[in-house]
Amino acid sequence: MSILAFILVSAAAIYFFAKRIVSVRRNIFLGREETINDRSSERWAQMTRVALGQSKMVVRPVAGFFHILIYVGFVLINAEVLEIFIDGFTNQHRIFAPFLGAFYDVLISFFELLALGVIIACIVFLARRWGGLKRFKGLEMQGFPTRDAAIILIVEIILMKALFIMDAADMKLSNGEHFFLVSSWFSFWTEWFTPAQLETISHTAWWFHLVGIFAFLNYVPYSKHFHIFMAFPNTWYGSLDPAGKLNNMESVKSEVKMMMDPNANPYAATDAPLARLGAKDVQDLSWKSLMDAYTCTECGRCTSVCPANQTGKKLSPRKIMMDTRDRLEEVGKNIDQHGLEFQDGKSLLGDYISIEEIRACTTCNACVEACPVLINPVNIIVDLRRYLTLEESNIPAEWGMMNTNIQNNGAPWKFPATDRGNWAQNNG
Amino acid sequence: MTSSITTMAEMAAKGEKPEILFWVGCAGSFDERAQRVSKAFAQILNDCEISFAILGSEEACTGDPAKRAGDEMTFQMQAMMNIQVLDAYEVKKIVTACPHCFNTLKNEYPDLGGNYEVIHHSTLLQQLINEGRIKLKDGGAFKGKKITFHDSCYLGRANGIYEAPRSVLEALDADLFEMKRAKKNGLCCGAGGAQMFKEAEHGTHEINHERMEDVMEIQPDVVAVACPFCMTMLRDGVKQKEQESKIEVLDLAEIVVRQNG
């Protein structure tokens, strides 16, 4: 009975998780094609350093330290979750114990210390978040994003608590055979119950932890917490080029080549419909920008260093990423409900991100440098600017003048090109 | 004092080719303040007997601000015309005092067929000092002066060049102080991404004024820069804070020339 229940719960959880992953993958590949598979050894090194090694997290030492507590705890405690799984399949309890002997208690005690670390880190993070740290405020954080953060931290604390309750009950039941370090500090309450009650408590805690993990697994891909998976592919695919390099628009290249080639036949152009220049909606962005959006955990390090944001402009790089994700989710839902061709008349630019926001960017790359998981908000901003400029000719008058001057005089100011070398003549 | 600056065309007429092309950029060519940097840098090249030339009227905007404003068409037309000129003169090596030109020529021209060895003048100055070709006087104009360096985004974060400009300043007899936001955390001057050429969006204050707060904490005699646009923005900031009599904004090349002047 217990095994059957376990298998049913596990199968359902894994089925829904896999289904969600497939739909996220489809959404990401709604984006524009871009081949990223060069220099793979550098990519593995980058992923190892940045995601596995948390190299950019520790730039801010306090957050970095507590984040590593949660991260290491999460990864290593999964060894205990493996035991919980095998126990579930075999209807055993603590199946590893007989094999490992005394070392089992050492191992579980070690996991308990990690779990304690996770609880402490979660409490610290809750305190930072609701203790007025400016980085976690901001317009884009109102409503779900703040609730989402609270849910994640509180659920993590409860899940760890369930482990301690199970361990303490089992320790008491074992009559001195087992000793688990951290739960022994908090095991006073086991005196109040009979062995049969403790048996029920342990069993309940086991189920609670298991169902909790599955619930968490299925919540994560809808949450900012998705970064725990996405950080890995996103850092693998992250740019290896100097941050200052903006990508070349190949579609423009062929057009410019033709304009500059005196032998080109303007009528030789194909009848194929021209792809949109720049980005108006999420499908026009590179798939990597869409992966960036699913990877963002809304920590706000980007926004806290953005010169535009710090001087009161509307631009917030974090909002750019959150808007991209929200819009992509909406487009995905539309496709699920109405098919691939459905248009809802909305777009990323305009309905989510305003022109004023993207105009304020200085492309200084502070946000790119600050992101612990190699997200690049500048690429999205520039793609949106490209759409406005190339498709709608919607640019500030001053930029229009600048572009005209560049085309006519070879400089953004209105100086004659012939005077360009004058400074060198009267050099004295 | 040798101060001749020849153009590629003049050299080509004599059947000569320089060792390096000095890409002056729009600011270095037309902005009066930045012209003084161009002159100082040309003087250093001459003093070090480096064979160089400029393109003069054959040089045109790299297209950087157009690209960043979203006008890829204008950018690529500029780039392709410049590449034609550079390739016609068989240019191999380029030095520029503008981090924006530097970034575009080095990182964005290769995709359009322009492949050159591009260095920023801070890197060349560092090399010349290390090789002993620039000998900075002991004492000199900056002895005991308080200097701080403002990182240009397109030199620093964009291309990872943080040490070259600092090593130039460390070779002086001055005291180098770092602002609270420096190197990877350096705060933008507000000019990048084509912001130089339009009014800022509505906000609480200007970015260069925000940056001046960092400068004021140091109370330096000199703010050293390595970018003509940072120069404009910080000079405006100094004016706004009414610090013209106390704080000077100077480019690395000017500092080198003045130290030995």
Side-chain angles (χ1 to χ4, degrees), chain A residues 310 359 361 363 385 407 410, chain B residues 61 68 74 154 181 195 205:
Chain A
Q310 287 176 78
R359 288 265 164 85
C361 176
T363 68
R385 281 187 182 178
Q407 288 161 14
Chain B
C61 174
R68 276 148 186 88
T74 300
Y154 274 84
R181 288 179 276 198
Q195 299 295 344
H205 54 297

Side-chain angles (χ1 to χ4, degrees), chain A residues 168-169 171-172 186-195 197-198:
Chain A
M171 194 171 99
K172 178 78 179 167
F186 305 104
S187 62
F188 57 90
W189 56 270
T190 54
E191 303 294 333
W192 309 335
F193 297 99
T194 65
Q197 285 169 325
L198 285 175

Side-chain angles (χ1 to χ4, degrees), chain A residues 243-254:
Chain A
K245 180 186 168 154
L246 290 181
N247 74 330
N248 195 61
M249 290 180 72
E250 292 300 320
S251 50
V252 172
K253 186 173 163 182
S254 49

